[in-house]
Amino acid sequence: MEAEAQAHWEATGAFRVTEDPTREKYYCLSMFPYPSGRLHIGHVRNYTIGDVISRFMRKQGRNVLQPMGWDAFGLPAENAAMDNGVPPAKWTYQNIEYMKGQLKSLGFAIDWSREVATCSPDYYRWNQWLFLRMLEKGIAYKKTGVVNWDPVDQTVLANEQVIDGRGWRTGAPVEKREIPMYYLRITEYAPDLLAALDRLPGWPERVRTMQANWIGRSEGVRIGFPYELDGERKLLNVFTTRADTVMGVTFCAVAAEHPLAARAAKDNPELAAFIEECKRGTAMEAELAVMEKKGMPTGLTVTHPLSGEAIPVWVGNYVLMTYGEGAVMGVPAHDERDFGFALKYGLPIRFVIAPAGGAPKEQQEGAPPVPLQEEAPATEWRPEFAEHGVCINSGKYDGLEYAAAVEAIAADLARLGLGEKQVQWRLHDWAISRQRYWGCPIPLIHCPTCGDVPVPDEDLPVLLPENLVPDGSGNPLAKEPSFYECLCPRCGGQARRETDTMDTFVDSSWYFMRFACPDNDQAMVDERANYWMPVDQYIGGIEHAILHLLYSRFWTRVMRDLGLVKVDEPFQNLLTQGMVLNDIYSRRMEDGRIQYFSPADVDVQLDDKGRRIATLRSDGEPVEWEGMRTMSKSKKNGVDPQELVERYGADSVRLFMMFKAPPEDSLEWSDDGVEGAARFMRRLWRMVYEHVSAGVAAKQVPDELTGEQREMRRVVHATLAKVTDDIGRRRVFNTAIAAVMELMNALAKFEDRTEAGRAVRQEALEIIVQALSPIVPHACHALWRALGHDDELMDRPWPKADPAALVKASIEVVVQVNGKLRGRVTVAADADEAQVREAALADPGVQKWVGDKVVRKVIVVKGKLVNVVV
RNA sequence: GCCGGUGUGGCGGAAUUGGUAGACGCAGCAGACUCAAAAUCUGCCAUGGGCAACCAUGUGUCGGUUCGACUCCGACCACCGGCACCA
């Protein structure tokens, strides 16, 4: 049955769309998959959500584009190549072929004529082309950056290839290394990327918050601490949001990579060793944040810009070279990190802020501000130390509160030429160089005489050879003379081609525009992009909330500024779907290692306390339940969608995914649940066939109906209204399906076999089939025909609930006494407040609780509830 | 560590704008049909008390606002996602 529907759609080219300016477009996009080999259950969820929305919008009359492509560059292809010797290109193309078949078997309404793979030269040449434009405009530039270096394999490692600070293959301690890389000046767009978040009401609040925090605008003051070294007068610049605490500075700390640290280490071997230690180990923020704060004095001092005091300079492993200028001022009394640092190394702690408004609770209100502690041997951090307050021990600034103090101090520093107010961003420029093979080549040529020379446009694309097999040590491109040997386009001399490739986030930053015009070999995008863009609905995992979405917003702005497209924002509405989880079962082996078992191989029973008793089917011995987690190969808790589709059919799998949880929540896998979905499909099927096998029913419901028939019809139209709202506005599908299930339960009890009754039933079944068609399109396609129609269900406009059918004669109102439910009364639907109130007070159940007490207040909520307060 | 989220029966979830907590489904139990099984259908199913009508308790914990709180506010606990080279 499903194959037949799919063949029909294929034969009629049902999902092919063309630009039609006379019709309102709807661009529904799901994040394209990495072609890892097989479809993951998470993909199935993602694409089912997109398909439901696409098919629903199509029935709303929109010209719907739902494309699909492949995020085809990346590390897994190189890993697979190392494992089995197959070149990444071959592996990738095979995977694409297989997964495309899987997607087709799920019946998604995808326009396959627009398929794009990022590893295809037709696609990535435009990465290269735009990169060159960015280079011309100064958006792309070169500087050094830090990478994880495996000293044994002589190769750069991705973060995920670093395990506990060691290379995943060699086990060698990883080092931080500085190498030249290309960067994109995303920071130039930071103010706009931040401000425009307010103009994205179709994005989840939390994603906008995460992006805003990531961009991290903070207002503060740059403070220069003068020093003299090697006969030169210089400034050590720090950035602080707490300039009001500047009189409490007792040290400064610089990052290990800071030039001052390097200079000081020149004649201090101990310090040089410490700096080396800092450079070893991780470059990851998460690990840096939890590691022990360490430091070492440089022996150098700088001058406090306002007090003239000599301030020692330390090297601190917690200072980030990538934020501000890689140096911070240390105010131990009012910053938790500085406090810990000072305590550890015996640095003075000077309190310069007193609580505003006479704070600590034990203090009298209105009393003059009293310092928390003064140069006291504070040994324990208290969060209130970091709160804003009033300056003390700060000379002329004493008594000023936060804003005034910052203003006064910034003004004085500006007068001295030692600082100014400044806006600092947490966001830093995007490093796109990757020392890897399976990615888009960066189109540059390094010439010994001309320097870095861009590849001329007419020589694009710089083709990535597809026959290489990485071996884990270094980038194969750098060992392939046929790739890197070239002539300088400027002087014609021998030169070397850049062997770094681009971050795969580049590929995914604009693929959604290419879907509009995938066949254009003359331009990156054309007018068709202006027809389709922006994406009306984007659907993908919450894990992409920051990086992919931010890079895409940036890339779109760059393309806009180059006049390539008109939109500012790529994605109008965003739905971040939750992850798919499954049980994890494990057992600790004798050698201490943990072995994982597939939930399919485990029998589960519940004991009398509801606890889970799990045993391995093969040996009957117990296994440990570790809870529900995201599916992963290593935990052996993945579920193969293909097997499910073969066993239960695509519709059942789609129905289960949409019914089990709201799209934004995580979804817990359950085999029983799919079974239940299949059961529902059979029930629907049977219900339609039982009806039609009894003969043709009238397609028009007669005007004269019995009370029961009218009530049945009311439920049908109320359900339709709810489903329309749930899918169209609320984007929740589980409640829409639940509503249809309720309707089917009611319809099963509706046994009226009169002509009018059968007409009501016919209408009910037609509405059910249409309402479910975006979710379970195959069965609905077939059932629509069974119900006696020969038009295309997919293109039939979405049905509208009949307002006349929704009218109710009477309604039930619940009655509370002091907020507790004590009775129910049925009143006419048009009863006024006084009538409802009277009926409520007259109810015997209510009477019992009111008794002879005085009714103090009666709250009437129209059509819902009455609360009697006694 | 920082940022974001989640927490409701045995389980997944529902309650859309502060107004009946537990819709719908899964699992379970009982029954119908059957020689039997499967499939299907019907009923029961938060906890405690009660023969019952009914009563009390209950949405992670503690406190607050309100006639009324799963929903709003404050503090806390647990778990999950992201943290710039996984995609």
Side-chain angles (χ1 to χ4, degrees):
Chain A
M1 183 271 287
E2 292 186 345
E4 201 185 293
Q6 286 167 17
H8 170 78
W9 295 328
E10 182 96 43
T12 54
F15 309 131
R16 246 179 216 237
V17 276
T18 48
E19 299 69 30
D20 179 353
T22 66
R23 291 180 65 201
E24 201 182 347
K25 63 94 184 180
Y26 192 86
Y27 187 176
C28 183
L29 180 71
S30 294
M31 290 181 184
F32 65 167
Y34 178 80
S36 56
R38 319 206 76 186
L39 223 49
H40 187 274
I41 206 86
H43 294 131
V44 177
R45 188 180 193 197
N46 194 158
Y47 303 145
T48 302
I49 294 169
D51 199 47
V52 172
I53 295 171
S54 293
R55 288 174 178 269
F56 177 79
M57 292 314 291
R58 180 172 181 149
K59 284 175 81 65
Q60 298 289 332
R62 305 284 284 268
N63 191 25
V64 177
L65 168 61
Q66 182 176 222
M68 186 53 72
W70 309 97
D71 190 11
F73 276 138
L75 211 49
E78 297 195 27
N79 294 339
M82 280 185 258
D83 288 344
N84 50 41
V86 180
K90 193 176 171 202
W91 182 83
T92 302
Y93 288 122
Q94 278 172 353
N95 289 348
I96 287 175
E97 218 29 57
Y98 183 78
M99 290 171 75
K100 191 172 167 181
Q102 289 191 297
L103 287 172
K104 287 191 167 177
S105 75
L106 281 153
F108 298 134
I110 291 164
D111 181 356
W112 282 107
S113 72
R114 295 168 183 264
E115 182 180 0
V116 156
T118 58
C119 64
S120 142
D122 302 338
Y123 183 83
Y124 68 68
R125 68 176 292 187
W126 301 110
N127 287 352
Q128 297 173 346
W129 181 83
L130 198 78
F131 174 81
L132 294 176
R133 302 291 84 74
M134 289 188 183
L135 214 51
E136 287 161 5
K137 290 193 73 181
I139 297 170
Y141 66 96
K142 189 179 187 176
K143 74 167 183 186
T144 59
V146 181
V147 293
N148 302 307
W149 179 255
D150 186 319
V152 175
D153 262 349
Q154 295 282 300
T155 195
V156 174
L157 299 178
N159 283 339
E160 71 161 6
Q161 296 173 320
V162 180
I163 295 155
D164 298 330
R166 290 167 183 275
W168 65 331
R169 282 154 48 83
T170 63
V174 167
E175 296 169 14
K176 278 191 252 178
R177 207 172 240 223
E178 288 208 55
I179 57 167
M181 300 209 273
Y182 290 92
Y183 285 79
L184 304 183
R185 225 179 277 282
I186 189 171
T187 50
E188 197 163 289
Y189 288 82
D192 186 37
L193 288 168
L194 181 66
L197 287 173
D198 292 336
R199 301 194 292 272
L200 286 174
W203 281 37
E205 183 69 44
R206 58 170 163 157
V207 175
R208 286 186 283 158
T209 307
M210 279 193 258
Q211 290 222 346
N213 289 336
W214 187 260
I215 295 167
R217 180 181 196 274
S218 70
E219 281 179 29
V221 178
R222 176 183 62 80
I223 301 178
F225 288 75
Y227 64 96
E228 221 178 301
L229 190 62
D230 305 328
E232 269 185 276
R233 287 186 59 88
K234 288 185 177 174
L235 284 181
L236 177 67
N237 282 316
V238 304
F239 172 81
T240 178
T241 56
R242 289 303 302 274
D244 60 319
T245 65
V246 71
M247 302 310 283
V249 171
T250 56
F251 67 97
C252 282
V254 299
E257 296 85 1
H258 196 278
L260 200 59
R263 169 61 188 82
K266 262 210 312 216
D267 28 50
N268 184 342
E270 212 183 332
L271 182 65
F274 177 69
I275 289 172
E276 274 316 302
E277 189 196 317
C278 290
K279 285 182 179 175
R280 261 196 305 277
T282 182
M284 287 178 248
E285 195 203 345
E287 286 184 35
L288 287 167
V290 291
M291 75 190 179
E292 197 192 350
K293 313 280 175 283
K294 282 187 193 167
M296 188 173 273
T298 58
L300 304 171
T301 61
V302 292
T303 309
H304 191 289
L306 297 174
S307 71
E309 204 179 337
I311 303 289
V313 177
W314 286 60
V315 174
N317 67 349
Y318 65 96
V319 184
L320 297 173
M321 194 59 211
T322 49
Y323 187 75
E325 297 189 33
V328 296
M329 66 182 203
V331 186
H334 303 292
D335 178 279
E336 186 170 6
R337 224 170 18 182
D338 295 344
F339 183 88
F341 195 81
L343 220 54
K344 181 166 178 171
Y345 294 107
L347 293 160
I349 298 172
R350 185 179 304 156
F351 284 85
V352 292
I353 301 292
K361 288 171 196 109
E362 61 269 20
Q363 256 185 281
Q364 289 282 314
E365 218 175 297
V370 171
L372 288 160
Q373 275 163 306
E374 269 182 79
E375 306 261 4
T379 51
E380 214 172 295
W381 173 257
R382 300 220 310 262
E384 57 265 35
F385 292 168
E387 285 168 10
H388 289 180
V390 176
C391 290
I392 52 167
N393 302 327
S394 299
K396 63 185 276 203
Y397 308 111
D398 280 359
L400 294 178
E401 50 76 50
Y402 175 77
V406 171
E407 285 301 328
I409 287 164
D412 287 347
L413 288 168
R415 219 172 357 258
L416 295 164
L418 296 176
E420 60 189 338
K421 284 178 77 176
Q422 200 183 38
V423 174
Q424 184 69 44
W425 303 83
R426 208 187 78 94
L427 179 71
H428 51 244
D429 281 340
W430 175 12
I432 60 156
S433 294
R434 297 289 181 271
Q435 297 68 44
R436 299 200 199 292
Y437 160 50
W438 192 235
C440 168
I442 294 175
L444 281 168
I445 288 165
H446 304 290
C447 171
T449 41
C450 308
D452 298 346
V453 182
V455 173
D457 283 356
E458 58 271 23
D459 293 345
L460 294 184
V462 175
L463 282 175
L464 183 72
E466 295 197 343
N467 58 340
L468 306 183
V469 180
D471 59 7
S473 71
N475 180 354
L477 292 177
K479 296 184 256 180
E480 183 64 24
S482 68
F483 179 77
Y484 66 72
E485 281 179 0
C486 64
L487 299 177
C488 171
R490 201 162 288 167
C491 69
Q494 272 294 327
R496 188 182 164 95
R497 192 179 294 287
E498 170 69 47
T499 56
D500 281 1
T501 53
M502 294 186 196
D503 182 1
T504 56
F505 275 122
V506 169
D507 309 325
S508 55
S509 289
W510 68 282
Y511 74 106
F512 41 88
M513 300 203 217
R514 188 68 183 172
F515 280 137
C517 44
D519 53 358
N520 194 329
D521 57 4
Q522 299 300 309
M524 187 173 187
V525 288
D526 59 36
E527 256 318 296
R528 290 175 286 173
N530 284 328
Y531 175 77
W532 291 113
M533 290 298 292
V535 172
D536 293 276
Q537 180 68 62
Y538 197 32
I539 305 136
I542 183 69
E543 66 274 20
H544 296 289
I546 297 173
L547 294 179
H548 162 60
L549 292 170
L550 192 64
Y551 291 147
S552 297
R553 296 179 63 218
F554 159 67
W555 200 274
T556 301
R557 282 165 168 74
V558 172
M559 287 180 67
R560 175 201 61 193
D561 292 348
L562 286 164
L564 296 167
V565 285
K566 294 200 176 103
V567 289
D568 301 321
E569 285 290 342
F571 314 122
Q572 193 118 70
N573 295 290
L574 175 69
L575 193 157
T576 49
Q577 122 250 4
M579 294 176 310
V580 183
L581 317 178
N582 201 4
D583 296 303
I584 297 180
Y585 293 101
S586 68
R587 189 186 279 168
R588 190 168 283 277
M589 307 305 284
E590 276 166 24
D591 61 3
R593 302 215 316 198
I594 293 176
Q595 192 181 352
Y596 289 94
F597 302 99
S598 163
D601 299 333
V602 173
D603 282 321
V604 179
Q605 288 183 316
L606 297 181
D607 70 6
D608 44 357
K609 287 195 180 117
R611 279 177 309 211
R612 184 184 295 245
I613 309 286
T615 49
L616 188 65
R617 194 163 304 136
S618 58
D619 62 11
E621 295 295 315
V623 288
E624 188 107 8
W625 181 63
E626 289 191 10
M628 284 255 177
R629 299 282 172 78
T630 55
M631 294 190 181
S632 79
K633 229 179 217 170
S634 61
K635 300 281 166 73
K636 293 208 176 138
N637 66 336
V639 174
D640 183 8
Q642 203 56 35
E643 213 174 282
L644 292 165
V645 170
E646 277 156 26
R647 177 135 44 119
Y648 299 102
D651 281 344
S652 295
V653 174
R654 293 169 58 123
L655 181 71
F656 167 73
M657 294 249 132
M658 304 309 280
F659 178 64
K660 185 74 174 175
E664 311 231 291
D665 291 7
S666 55
L667 182 150
E668 300 188 359
W669 185 257
S670 106
D671 289 336
D672 289 330
V674 194
E675 189 70 60
R679 190 151 51 220
F680 174 85
M681 294 309 298
R682 285 196 296 269
R683 192 171 182 219
L684 173 66
W685 194 266
R686 214 178 317 115
M687 205 175 249
V688 169
Y689 272 91
E690 268 170 22
H691 169 72
V692 298
S693 63
V696 178
K699 292 249 160 61
Q700 272 295 319
V701 177
D703 292 338
E704 288 298 311
L705 294 177
T706 66
E708 209 184 322
Q709 290 164 347
R710 254 204 318 276
E711 176 57 16
M712 184 69 243
R713 222 178 150 242
R714 191 191 64 75
V715 173
V716 169
H717 285 268
T719 303
L720 173 59
K722 175 164 174 61
V723 171
T724 308
D725 188 50
D726 280 355
I727 300 182
R729 180 182 63 87
R730 297 176 65 208
R731 292 282 143 79
V732 283
F733 313 104
N734 55 329
T735 52
I737 295 165
V740 174
M741 286 173 168
E742 275 184 86
L743 171 57
M744 281 173 53
N745 289 342
L747 197 60
K749 290 195 174 81
F750 177 73
E751 287 177 342
D752 192 333
R753 297 287 184 257
T754 64
E755 207 170 304
R758 295 203 69 236
V760 169
R761 177 176 295 268
Q762 173 82 20
E763 185 195 28
L765 290 170
E766 288 187 2
I767 284 177
I768 288 171
V769 166
Q770 294 197 74
L772 289 176
S773 68
I775 299 166
V776 287
H778 304 90
C780 291
H781 170 82
L783 292 174
W784 186 244
R785 304 202 156 180
L787 283 165
H789 296 274
D790 50 16
D791 58 338
E792 190 67 55
L793 173 62
M794 203 163 45
D795 289 318
R796 191 185 176 97
W798 187 258
K800 281 195 171 59
D802 176 3
L806 294 172
V807 176
K808 261 175 143 175
S810 62
I811 47 172
E812 191 184 63
V813 172
V814 298
V815 188
Q816 300 180 331
V817 177
N818 287 343
K820 293 203 168 171
L821 178 65
R822 300 300 185 192
R824 295 159 200 274
V825 292
T826 302
V827 297
D830 56 358
D832 63 23
E833 206 175 299
Q835 287 170 308
V836 174
R837 178 193 169 111
E838 204 172 309
L841 288 168
D843 182 75
V846 176
Q847 280 287 311
K848 192 176 119 193
W849 289 92
V850 174
D852 48 10
K853 294 194 197 82
V854 180
V855 175
R856 290 196 297 161
K857 203 170 172 186
V858 179
I859 290 131
V860 179
V861 180
K862 205 170 179 307
K864 285 211 160 150
L865 156 151
V866 176
N867 189 12
V868 181
V869 185
V870 295

